Amino acid sequence: MSGRTTKAAENAKADLPRLMQALRDQGVTDPQVLKAIETTPRDLFTPDLFKDRSWEDSALPIACGQTISQPFIVGLMTQALTVEPRARVLEIGTGSGYQTTILSKVSRLVYTIERYRTLMKEAEGRFQKLGLTNVITKFGDGGEGWAEQAPFDRIMVTAAAEDDPKRLLSQLKPNGVLVAPVGKGPVQSLRRYAGDGKGGFRVEILCDVRFVPLLAGVAKDQ
């Protein structure tokens, strides 16, 4: 990182207290979630061009046409997942690895799948730099889930499925929780699926969101 970029990141981090207050004001109140966000260096996951915006409450572009999610959405989705310390969590869409890192701080194990090899390798480098030992990565089709490791206590999907993600729901424990954006248009609904212990789910719509679509297969050239 150049001296100029480092300075920009340092200046941006001065906005951290403001960001944390903004999250609380918007309803992210879980102490463990807030601590995870506050102690995760978002600038590590942000491209050099946007280092000075690392601690803004906004989504930012990353490689392969993807984004690093808005901190409020990261906090809201993590809070809605109601992760317990011994939980095994499946994340669909590693991306920059920022959301993965937040999940790793509130759970026992995080299994994360990414369809872009470039993003996966970069994220793995960040996990190593942060000394994370409870993240397991896979290059593959996130929509298929990770049947070999199922069932999971929690599943988070960071790309928009067109309809209810039934294959992923089938990989949840009976009382598990899945949080995902669902919808075909540019604006989707963020949904929380809570297992009722009998094979059914209670579905709660949390808010409108904008996510990249959940694509089938893996990217061949990236």
Side-chain angles (χ1 to χ4, degrees):
M1 187 184 297
S2 69
R4 181 177 180 181
T5 303
T6 302
K7 187 64 175 178
E10 290 175 351
N11 291 339
K13 193 168 184 178
D15 293 331
L16 178 57
R18 186 183 307 156
L19 171 63
M20 299 310 299
Q21 187 58 52
L23 298 184
R24 295 184 182 93
D25 290 345
Q26 294 176 89
V28 180
T29 56
D30 184 290
Q32 295 304 312
V33 174
L34 290 170
K35 181 180 179 181
I37 293 174
E38 188 170 22
T39 58
T40 298
R42 193 170 186 250
D43 54 296
L44 177 63
F45 303 87
T46 307
D48 287 349
L49 184 62
F50 300 102
K51 290 295 183 190
D52 60 341
R53 299 180 58 191
S54 297
W55 300 95
E56 288 183 7
D57 189 21
S58 60
L60 298 171
I62 58 174
C64 304
Q66 305 301 295
T67 60
I68 175 173
S69 294
Q70 176 187 3
F72 165 64
I73 296 299
V74 170
L76 178 66
M77 291 179 71
T78 307
Q79 180 171 273
L81 212 57
T82 57
V83 182
E84 298 174 351
R86 299 297 298 171
R88 296 168 69 252
V89 180
L90 173 63
E91 179 193 37
I92 306 303
T94 313
S96 70
Y98 178 65
Q99 174 70 83
T100 320
T101 301
I102 301 299
L103 290 171
S104 77
K105 294 185 176 186
V106 296
S107 63
R108 179 167 65 93
L109 287 171
V110 180
Y111 297 80
T112 182
I113 305 175
E114 177 54 58
R115 71 186 302 270
Y116 294 98
R117 194 180 297 276
T118 297
L119 293 181
M120 186 188 71
K121 293 298 183 184
E122 291 178 352
E124 287 175 339
R126 297 182 182 110
F127 301 151
Q128 184 175 11
K129 187 172 183 178
L130 291 170
L132 302 183
T133 59
N134 63 336
V135 174
I136 303 168
T137 61
K138 178 181 180 180
F139 173 62
D141 183 346
E144 297 296 317
W146 201 329
E148 299 85 353
Q149 297 294 341
F152 297 95
D153 298 292
R154 301 290 187 269
I155 298 178
M156 179 181 287
V157 187
T158 62
E162 291 189 354
D163 299 297
D164 293 333
K166 295 180 181 178
R167 183 179 296 273
L168 297 176
L169 288 168
S170 72
Q171 296 182 22
L172 266 181
K173 289 184 178 180
N175 291 303
V177 176
L178 181 149
V179 174
V182 178
K184 298 181 180 180
V187 178
Q188 308 95 29
S189 61
L190 184 62
R191 301 184 186 181
R192 181 181 191 270
Y193 300 80
D196 61 8
K198 303 176 183 178
F201 295 93
R202 299 182 298 276
V203 183
E204 177 184 1
I205 297 178
L206 303 178
C207 63
D208 289 340
V209 290
R210 293 176 180 268
F211 275 84
V212 296
L214 180 64
L215 301 176
V218 296
K220 296 180 180 179
D221 300 323
Q222 298 186 69

